[in-house]
Each structure stands twice: as C-alpha cells, then as structure tokens.
Amino acid sequence: MSNVRAAHPTRRGILAAGGALGLGAALAACGDDSAKSGSSDKETTAAKSGPWTFKDDRGTTVKLGKAPADIVAFVGVAAALYDYGVDVKGVFGPTRTKDGKADVQAGDMDVSKLTVLGNEWGQFNVEKYAALAPDVLITTMFDATGTLWYVPDESKDKIAKLAPSVGISAYDRQLTVPLQRVWALAESLGADMTASRVTDAKKRFETASSRLRAAAKAHPDIKVMAGSAAQDLFYVSGSDLSVDLEYFKALGVNFVEPSASVLKASGGWYESLSWENVDKYQADIIMMDDRTATIQPADITQATWKKLPAVKAGQVIARSPEPIFSYDKCVAMVENLAKALETAKKVS
C-alpha cells in the first residue's frame, strides 16, 4: 500500500523532558547555514519507481530496491511528512496526551489511527516494531555523534537489525536546514512538492521570517529569554545548538545568553536555576517550552515566577524546542515571536 497520500537520568533523558532543548533536550535570506547542512539535495534520489537512495545527516546512505512504503518514524518527523502527503505505518515519541488527545508534537495527524510503539522517553516496543515489517526508520538527532532521537540505548542494536535508519540532524544549525532536509526526504518518498498547499506554506514561512527580521531590527532593545519549567528547576536556554533559536538569532533577535562556562555543564544547551533564582536574568519576553513533559506557564505556581516583569506584563509566549519540520508548522512559531516583538513593552 502506498505511503503517499494526495497532497492535502541521562542527559538525553533530561533533554527529552525539556532541559537541553530549552529544557529541550531534562528528560536563506534569513541566514546562511550551508556549512552545517550535512548533505545536499543532490545526494537524494527521488524514487517513485525503481531504486531509492537517501543520504542522511550522519553521512549514511540508505539504498532500497524501491521507495519505502512501510515507514516508522519519530512522531515529529511523521507529522512533518504528513503535511507533505506521506503517511507512516508506525510512530514513537510523544503522540498522545494522558487524555488520549494529540500531543503537540503530533501535528495534524489523527492519533487515534496511529500505531504507537512508545509514547514516552525510553519506550519502544521492539516486537510491535518487527511486526510492522518496516522498510525504514526515520528520526531526528540532537547531538554531534548522530544518536537517533527516542531510540532507546538498550534496544538500539535490536532495532537497527530490523530496518535501515535515516537521521535528520536538528543539532547546531539553523531551522532552515532541517526544513530543507525533510523537504528533500518527502520528495524522495514521492510527495508532490509542487502542490499549492506545499508551496504556499513555504512562501508563508519566508514572509513570516521577513516580518521577524524587521521586528527584531525595529526593537533591538527587547530581550528575549527561552525557558522551560520543571518541578524543581527553571531552565534557560542558550541560543546556540537549538535550530529555532539559532535561526531567530540570525534574524536579529536579542536573546538572554547564559555564559559559556555555565552552559558547559549541559553540553552547551542550558543553565538550570532554582525557582528562588529565576530572576537571575532580565527579559522583556519569555518563550516557554510547549512540550507536554514540561510545566506550562498557566500551571506555574512559584511566586518568584509571577513577579517576573515579563510575566506581569503578559509577555510570555510558547516555544517549540522540537519543531515539526514542515514549513506549514514552522510559520506560527516565527509569526508568534514577530508579533511579540512588535507589541512588547520594555519591562526589563
């Protein structure tokens, strides 16, 4: 059956819960990042019929007799492919909330119809995976060594024997790079990248990026802090390593920056603060991790949080440390920050 629809704890665990990818990894006019792209579109062979080849961001080339039809993917990658008209057979990673609704990382997919191999960090049902007879496993990567995101260390060898894998890097590069890579991947899988729905989304993303660049230029004094909340700690992300923050910084956004020496403890991702010290940095806008593993702003009860100038001014917006890498899904995150910059009061 075709997988293409008509176009319509360890540090890794901390990262998954939110810590390093902004707590993000506990648990082209807009910037040139070609040096970090890992590979180019020329390394991909679209194969609607005949052999299929794709070189991933580890430098690994997957070769199959035909384009894979039975795909298993990390939920965020599956959501991006869905936007391009490509269906997957199974997913792993945060897919359903406790009440059975779609997790924020599931995008527009109907989660009631998905085969979920594991919904939380460390969960991956190898037997169920084998039963799907997958042609390929696709996921993201958030480190320099090419570790496959949400593939458990203890079962990775068994998983690797069942099907080849494709890794799309979301580490230390601007947002546009994984967007281009997933575009190339979808195209190789037979997606119609000339469909108006697809091309219109790309244009909207480019328009939103121009708007954010203009807003950042007009409001250089507005300081933005990327944060993530856990029960005992508040995480402040540095603007390096994360694809969204690197891109926003390239567009001119003025980020609060923990020192390199402090970030070193987390591999460069974030600084952890006690709630008593959450006011260490002054910010006019706070971008808060929207993943379900983290505490959302409305549920933060600490008095020190409520006293922050940005919080009192209502200048707190959502952030997606693990973006869904389709242009359609990345438009809102760019537009939201642009709007926040355009309307923010200087409170720091």
Side-chain angles (χ1 to χ4, degrees):
M1 181 175 68
S2 173
N3 65 307
V4 181
R5 297 176 290 107
H8 60 214
T10 63
R11 190 177 77 83
R12 289 182 71 223
I14 291 179
L15 296 183
L21 299 179
L23 181 90
L27 291 248
C30 301
D32 181 6
D33 200 38
S34 58
K36 297 178 180 179
S37 64
S39 57
S40 70
D41 292 352
K42 292 181 180 179
E43 294 164 333
T44 300
T45 302
K48 295 181 180 180
S49 62
W52 181 82
T53 300
F54 190 88
K55 185 174 182 179
D56 76 358
D57 292 336
R58 297 169 297 182
T60 299
T61 299
V62 177
K63 298 180 180 180
L64 298 173
K66 61 180 180 178
D70 297 324
I71 300 169
V72 170
F74 174 70
V75 61
V77 175
L81 292 175
Y82 180 89
D83 285 348
Y84 292 133
V86 179
D87 286 324
V88 304
K89 199 169 186 179
V91 300
F92 55 96
T95 305
R96 301 181 183 127
T97 59
K98 292 181 179 179
D99 58 4
K101 295 181 180 179
D103 187 276
V104 64
Q105 295 191 63
D108 293 335
M109 294 187 297
D110 183 347
V111 297
S112 69
K113 297 180 179 179
L114 293 175
T115 297
V116 182
L117 304 179
N119 199 66
E120 298 178 5
W121 182 259
Q123 295 181 351
F124 194 111
N125 190 316
V126 180
E127 291 73 20
K128 186 182 290 187
Y129 178 61
L132 293 176
D135 293 323
V136 68
L137 178 148
I138 308 172
T139 187
T140 44
M141 303 180 296
F142 286 94
D143 61 29
T145 62
T147 304
L148 298 178
W149 192 234
Y150 266 81
V151 174
D153 288 339
E154 59 271 21
S155 55
K156 65 181 181 181
D157 292 339
K158 292 181 180 178
I159 293 169
K161 292 178 181 178
L162 295 171
S165 61
V166 168
I168 301 297
S169 180
Y171 175 78
D172 193 17
R173 59 202 59 206
Q174 292 179 29
L175 177 62
T176 45
V177 177
L179 277 172
Q180 291 162 2
R181 296 292 289 139
V182 172
W183 175 291
L185 176 61
E187 186 174 35
S188 79
L189 294 170
D192 180 5
M193 309 311 284
T194 65
S196 59
R197 176 186 176 193
V198 173
T199 57
D200 288 350
K202 189 172 187 293
K203 290 177 182 177
R204 288 189 291 112
F205 176 82
E206 292 165 350
T207 298
S209 297
S210 295
R211 177 184 175 185
L212 178 55
R213 183 192 290 278
K217 185 176 182 179
H219 303 281
D221 59 328
I222 297 297
K223 294 182 180 180
V224 180
M225 179 168 67
S228 191
Q231 188 63 42
D232 299 319
L233 294 171
F234 182 82
Y235 299 87
V236 179
S237 287
S239 64
D240 291 333
L241 304 186
S242 296
V243 291
D244 61 329
L245 302 186
E246 283 204 14
Y247 184 58
F248 298 155
K249 182 171 63 174
L251 295 178
V253 177
N254 181 11
F255 281 105
V256 167
E257 297 282 4
S259 68
S261 59
V262 171
L263 291 173
K264 185 177 181 180
S266 67
W269 288 98
Y270 62 92
E271 175 179 0
S272 56
L273 301 173
S274 67
W275 283 103
E276 290 77 12
N277 295 315
V278 74
D279 60 352
K280 177 177 179 179
Y281 297 106
Q282 298 297 306
D284 303 295
I285 296 171
I286 302 176
M287 302 173 66
M288 288 296 291
D289 189 337
D290 68 356
R291 290 173 297 171
T292 53
T294 68
I295 300 174
Q296 297 306 299
D299 299 319
I300 298 175
T301 59
Q302 282 81 358
T304 48
W305 163 262
K306 296 180 180 180
K307 292 179 181 178
L308 293 177
V311 175
K312 293 171 68 175
Q315 296 176 174
V316 178
I317 64 173
R319 175 197 171 211
S320 300
E322 291 183 64
I324 293 172
F325 293 121
S326 72
Y327 285 100
D328 179 72
K329 293 301 178 290
C330 288
V331 170
M333 52 191 276
V334 180
E335 288 182 336
N336 290 343
L337 182 53
K339 181 179 179 181
L341 283 173
E342 292 165 350
T343 60
K345 297 178 181 178
K346 181 68 180 176
V347 295
S348 64

